């Protein structure tokens, strides 16, 4: 339930209603928009009498939220949320590109890739230190050493870093080194991990599960918000369909759908979304055109030698070209 207050409502009245709602057993989330205060009620709203609230002259209207997600819903929070990642803001009018290798491979390699992507205008470094691989025999990541190299690359370039925490045992360690913690597609419904992310002070990048509906995706974001962390960025990275030509089917319609349903920023990852480097630039352009706040792009100096996901990694010159084009699209969209 959402109580929209009239612009003329005095502060004392807003506070009085908030106290009353809390006394009836629900949590109240206040959001102050342009000239309007909105009170979003979560939890048990059974004791609330809607006609009593509507009788208050300072109440504009009462809305029932028809979605199961509340804190993630635009009805609760009409203004776009801006997430700040150590100096980089996502969701407030500039295109954020997180780029880098699929996996951190060595200190020198990461330093080189980081300095190249910065020259092309990237705003963040991505790179996995713990890799969720389909095969137990594939490269699993450098672990804590990888996190150390990410921190060094951040210090050398000034760009914040994002890296994945695959489970609860490693969460605190990842949190210590990085600026933004990624929860990968395979963990989108790891509810224990989502609760832990909700207790973190750092922003979370939540990737869409490969067979998750948009509603399930937003419910996972709701877990993080409900546990106290308001800094969630969503990432569409493709879903599994009957199509096998591409690694996944990049669901770009999810971007405008999520913009309607939610106030959270959304990025698109056309690298995992397509699995083929030739498709990364076209889908990045499309993603920006449909409203993405940011992109996540895998970049490698020698994709044929990459420890993982070489087939979908852009070389520096192609990354540069993609950056130039997407910035032009962003400027006119
Ligand atoms: C990644 O970004 O490193 C990754 C593994 O992506 P996803 O979880 O989307 O597969
Ligand atoms: Mn990858």
């Amino acid at each position: 339930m959402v109580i929209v207050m009239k612009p003329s409502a005095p502060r004392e009245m807003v506070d009085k209603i908030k106290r009353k709602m809390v006394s009836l057993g629900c949590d109240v989330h206040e959001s102050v928009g342009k000239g309007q205060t909105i009170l979003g009620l979560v939890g048990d709203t059974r004791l609330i009498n809607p006609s009593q609230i509507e009788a208050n002259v300072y109440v504009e209207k009462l809305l029932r939220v028809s979605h199961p997600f509340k804190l993630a819903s635009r009805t609760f929070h009409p203004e776009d949320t801006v997430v700040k990642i150590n100096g980089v803001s996502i969701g407030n009018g500039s295109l954020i590109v997180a780029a880098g290798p699929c996996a951190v491979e060595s200190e020198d390699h990461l330093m080189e890739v980081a300095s190249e992507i910065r020259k092309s205008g990237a705003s963040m470094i991505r790179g996995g230190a713990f890799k969720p691989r389909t095969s137990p025999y594939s490269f699993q990541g450098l672990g804590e050493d990888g996190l150390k190299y990410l921190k060094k690359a951040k210090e050398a370039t000034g760009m914040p870093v994002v890296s994945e925490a695959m489970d609860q045992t490693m969460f605190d360690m990842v949190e210590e080194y990085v600026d933004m913690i990624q929860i990968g597609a395979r963990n989108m419904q790891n509810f224990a991990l989502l609760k832990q992310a909700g207790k973190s002070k750092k922003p979370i990048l939540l990737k869409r599960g490969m067979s998750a509906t948009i509603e399930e995706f937003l419910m996972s974001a709701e877990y993080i918000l409900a546990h106290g962390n308001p800094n969630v960025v969503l990432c569409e990275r493709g879903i599994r369909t009957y199509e096998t030509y591409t690694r996944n089917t990049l669901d770009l319609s999810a971007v405008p759908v999520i913009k309607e349903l939610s106030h959270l920023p959304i990025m698109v990852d056309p690298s995992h979304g397509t699995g083929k480097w030739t498709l990364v630039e076209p889908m990045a352009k499309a993603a920006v055109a449909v409203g993405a706040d940011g992109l996540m792009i895998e970049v490698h100096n020698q994709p044929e030698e990459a420890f993982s996901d070489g087939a979908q990694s852009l070389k520096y010159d192609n990354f540069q070209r993609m950056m130039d084009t997407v910035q032009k699209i962003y400027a006119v969209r």
Side-chain angles (χ1 to χ4, degrees):
M1 212 180 283
V2 171
I3 305 172
V4 182
M5 302 298 298
K6 285 192 179 151
S8 60
R11 185 68 240 171
E12 305 80 76
M13 183 51 75
V14 177
D15 288 338
K16 193 172 164 197
I17 295 182
K18 279 172 79 174
R19 280 196 302 274
K20 170 94 180 168
M21 296 303 123
V22 171
S23 76
L24 292 174
C26 54
D27 283 336
V28 184
H29 291 261
E30 181 173 339
S31 139
V32 184
K34 288 188 192 86
Q36 213 167 33
T37 297
I38 285 169
L39 302 176
L41 312 183
V42 277
D44 188 357
T45 52
R46 279 174 307 175
L47 294 178
I48 293 170
N49 178 352
S51 37
Q52 212 172 40
I53 299 172
E54 276 161 338
N56 188 313
V57 288
Y58 291 112
V59 170
E60 174 100 42
K61 58 186 168 192
L62 200 64
L63 303 171
R64 262 157 253 273
V65 184
S66 48
H67 311 294
F69 46 90
K70 311 283 178 202
L71 301 174
S73 146
R74 207 176 260 290
T75 319
F76 254 61
H77 190 294
E79 312 268 307
D80 286 341
T81 281
V82 177
V83 174
K84 293 197 175 71
I85 311 137
N86 246 341
V88 168
S89 293
I90 179 156
N92 77 338
S94 60
L95 182 68
I96 299 307
V97 179
C102 176
V104 177
E105 298 182 2
S106 72
E107 181 174 345
D108 289 347
H109 183 254
L110 185 67
M111 286 293 183
E112 190 207 293
V113 179
S115 106
E116 290 294 327
I117 58 159
R118 192 169 76 131
K119 282 188 220 153
S120 301
S123 2
M124 289 183 69
I125 306 169
R126 65 139 289 138
F130 296 96
K131 294 303 302 175
R133 303 304 301 278
T134 302
S135 165
Y137 310 117
S138 300
F139 176 60
Q140 304 283 308
L142 296 179
E144 190 167 6
D145 282 344
L147 296 172
K148 287 183 181 155
Y149 305 153
L150 282 164
K151 196 167 177 203
K152 284 190 180 171
K154 170 206 169 160
E155 282 157 7
T157 60
M159 288 186 286
V161 299
V162 55
S163 197
E164 178 165 353
M166 270 178 11
D167 65 48
Q168 282 175 277
T169 59
M170 66 180 64
F171 189 92
D172 292 349
M173 190 208 289
V174 175
E175 184 181 43
E176 193 184 308
Y177 287 99
V178 306
D179 303 285
M180 183 181 219
I181 305 149
Q182 177 168 320
I183 297 194
R186 292 155 191 81
N187 268 317
M188 190 207 80
Q189 283 191 319
N190 180 339
F191 299 115
L193 191 61
L194 296 175
K195 287 181 192 173
Q196 196 165 359
K199 296 195 185 96
S200 173
K201 295 272 173 283
K202 294 214 169 149
I204 307 295
L205 181 69
L206 177 66
K207 299 189 87 175
R208 182 175 180 181
M210 59 183 88
S211 27
T213 63
I214 291 173
E215 186 169 294
E216 286 163 344
F217 190 17
L218 289 172
M219 288 307 286
S220 291
E222 186 81 10
Y223 259 91
I224 304 171
L225 300 171
H227 283 82
N229 188 346
N231 296 310
V232 178
V233 176
L234 303 167
C235 182
E236 163 61 44
R237 47 77 73 206
I239 49 175
R240 179 154 294 174
T241 67
Y242 51 80
E243 180 56 69
T244 54
Y245 191 78
T246 44
R247 180 176 179 180
N248 290 290
T249 297
L250 188 61
D251 178 15
L252 287 183
S253 61
V255 176
V257 169
I258 284 173
K259 286 280 168 201
E260 274 180 22
L261 295 175
S262 178
H263 52 89
L264 296 173
I266 177 156
M267 295 178 84
V268 171
D269 171 355
S271 306
H272 294 91
T274 63
K276 289 190 164 83
W277 73 267
T278 53
L279 304 178
V280 171
E281 181 181 335
M283 296 313 277
K285 292 194 277 189
V288 172
V290 296
D293 299 294
L295 296 168
M296 173 170 263
I297 307 288
E298 286 185 343
V299 176
H300 202 281
N301 58 328
Q302 267 187 303
E304 60 285 3
E305 300 287 328
F307 290 8
S308 57
D309 287 353
Q312 65 193 36
S313 299
L314 291 185
K315 290 188 181 177
Y316 302 142
D317 52 348
N318 288 326
F319 179 64
Q320 174 74 63
R321 202 188 57 210
M322 183 214 81
M323 288 296 281
D324 294 343
T325 322
V326 293
Q327 288 297 355
K328 284 185 198 136
I329 294 174
Y330 189 78
V332 296
R333 83 175 190 204

